[in-house]
Amino acid sequence: MAIFDFSEPGSTPPAPEEPGRAARFPFKVALAIVVLAAALALWHQAMDPAKGMANSVFAETFQLHWPHPPVSAIPNRVVIQLKGNEKLPPVSAVFVDDTNSLDPFFAALWKLEQAKVGLPSSTEPSPEPASPDQGTQAQPSPAPSNTPNLVTILHYGDSPTTADLITGDVRSQLQQRFGDAGRGYTLIAKPWAWYGHRGVEISDHGWHIRTGVGLMREGIYGLGGAAFEGQPGAWSKFRLTESQQTAVDVGYLTKPGGGSFEVEADDQSIADQSTDADAQASASVHVPLPAGTRAVTIRPTSGTVTLFGADFRRGSTGLLYDSLGLNGATTSVVARVMQPTIWKQQLEHVAPTLVIVNYGSNESSFGSFVHKLYATELRLAIQRIRQADPGTPILIMSPMDRGERAGLDEIKTMNTIPEIVAIQRQVAADTHCAFFDTFDAMGGDGTMSRWYSSSPRLVTADLLHPTPQGATIVATLFVEQLGLGYNRWKMQHGIALPAAGPVIAPSAAASKSSPQPKNAARHAGKKAGKN
């Protein structure tokens, strides 16, 4: 907005100078600049440049730019190629699945890929891994089936996930390849103003909101770790902005004496649901949406209702990527907060193909906890997931780099971040989970310093939350590594890879000449989620 907006009532332009009056030299302003520059120069002489004061301070004072370009913020890429009978190598140093725990997930992706190109959805790969020289030639034999193909990924995380920044781009890239089954799970209302979900605009009123953040005890929450209690007068409206959805599943809590709620499509009532039941349990109602629906409204109509989330779908084939982020969340949300029976009912209903555990940024502020207790907490989280949903693959995704300021112009990596990543890697190996090292994939130590110095900036001023451009880079790195793992699985099972040249993967080291991913600036100009 302009400093002077003449279109608003009461706004007036500054009075013009008298005609013919000569402009006077601003002596006071010039003197202030000289004094400031002299003070900075004296300070610079007295300080060790390595500990804070450097020439870049003068550059910022006069809004100039030194000609030396920063180190590239984008990790370089390495090419993985097989020669002759060479044994299949591990996916990469940043994507680890030594026990092949993701095989069921990759098999489900293969069915989706077959269905998308019109082949029978139950086409099965060869039961025995193929030798390397057969890995790009053998084809599985098709077997007809009418079973719908739906792959659901649950991504539990903290504040970047709350704003659907990284997860929104992962969803877009995976759905482009494997099919779009819908926008997926959104909370009933916005616990924070910056809560968001790509393709769905949420407005709400009148709910009593509870989340599992900061608690160390069990409670009744929905799949996303939040619950919303409301009476007549409360409402939530979901505007569908990117693609048409064909149905919505509304999650709620049944209980004796529970109230009722209704679902509207473009302000027309299409369903009414009671939550009254003999026992307390998690439940869901599937509501088909009329063709062309642009807005869905959910409102209590009697008594008190407890709602959890709205899961938007389009068809029964494709991929769902549910962003289940809570602002300020830690691993304890999964390890201690979700009530086991209710959570088990929710996971049985959703039937995820993969669960991603993506915490660590908030834990990094508590060094003593990280040193003494974090490994135990993470192991407990994995145990709780497996008790609630046995057999579903789990992938531990490390936090991004997190910067902190040292002096006036130095940004360094918080020393707890590499420790958290090392703990997560070890716990993943011990518990037979897959592991993605976000920290090293994006460049490792000092990444946030480079990202903050880049143009455009890839991280916000808190040196923790990525901008939309930075989030897209992280998402692309993750999807590329997941694709490498998927291709390796194909080769192990004798499935031909596309004849599109070598597989390219990001390395953990940064390169000065590496290009930025083409879609990294796709969301340029949009605001990043706040903390």
Side-chain angles (χ1 to χ4, degrees), residues 448-489:
M448 286 312 184
S449 176
R450 296 188 292 272
W451 278 30
Y452 191 70
S453 300
S454 68
S455 182
R457 281 180 175 164
L458 302 176
V459 65
T460 59
D462 65 4
L463 307 178
L464 169 62
H465 296 94
T467 64
Q469 297 95 324
T472 301
I473 292 172
V474 174
T476 301
L477 292 169
F478 176 59
V479 172
E480 286 179 345
Q481 290 292 308
L482 199 64
L484 286 173
Y486 180 47
N487 285 344
R488 186 177 188 275
W489 175 87

Side-chain angles (χ1 to χ4, degrees), residues 27 145 152 202 239 382 412 437:
F27 289 104
S145 172
T152 300
I202 307 170
R239 293 178 176 83
I382 301 304
K412 65 178 185 179
D437 185 347

Side-chain angles (χ1 to χ4, degrees), residues 17 21-34:
E17 293 186 0
R21 181 178 179 180
R24 294 179 296 180
F25 183 78
F27 289 104
K28 292 183 179 180
V29 174
L31 180 60
I33 293 175
V34 171

Side-chain angles (χ1 to χ4, degrees), residues 368-512:
S368 180
F369 171 81
V370 172
H371 304 329
K372 301 176 181 178
L373 300 174
Y374 180 65
T376 301
E377 196 75 355
L378 182 56
R379 291 177 192 276
L380 179 59
I382 301 304
Q383 178 184 334
R384 292 288 294 269
I385 294 171
R386 286 186 169 147
Q387 290 173 343
D389 191 25
T392 297
I394 300 171
L395 184 146
I396 299 174
M397 183 175 182
S398 88
M400 298 177 291
D401 183 29
R402 181 177 182 180
E404 62 180 356
R405 296 185 183 277
L408 295 180
D409 67 341
E410 181 185 356
I411 297 172
K412 65 178 185 179
T413 292
M414 291 184 68
N415 56 17
T416 49
I417 289 292
E419 183 178 358
I420 288 172
V421 174
I423 291 172
Q424 291 178 337
R425 183 183 288 269
Q426 185 61 54
V427 170
D430 294 344
T431 58
H432 306 296
C433 296
F435 175 68
F436 175 64
D437 185 347
T438 314
F439 171 70
D440 280 315
M442 66 191 291
D445 187 79
T447 294
M448 286 312 184
S449 176
R450 296 188 292 272
W451 278 30
Y452 191 70
S453 300
S454 68
S455 182
R457 281 180 175 164
L458 302 176
V459 65
T460 59
D462 65 4
L463 307 178
L464 169 62
H465 296 94
T467 64
Q469 297 95 324
T472 301
I473 292 172
V474 174
T476 301
L477 292 169
F478 176 59
V479 172
E480 286 179 345
Q481 290 292 308
L482 199 64
L484 286 173
Y486 180 47
N487 285 344
R488 186 177 188 275
W489 175 87
K490 282 185 173 181
M491 297 173 72
Q492 287 176 323
H493 291 81
I495 301 172
L497 298 180
V503 178
I504 299 179
S507 74
S511 168
K512 293 184 178 181

Side-chain angles (χ1 to χ4, degrees), residues 19 32 72 74 79 90 102 137 140 148 156 161 163 165 169 180-181 196 284 288 297 352 358 362 437 445 466 487 500:
S72 172
I74 313 301
V79 178
L102 295 182
Q137 298 177 4
Y156 283 96
T161 315
L165 285 173
D169 285 302
D180 182 355
S284 180
T297 303
N358 181 202
N362 292 308
D437 185 347
D445 187 79
N487 285 344

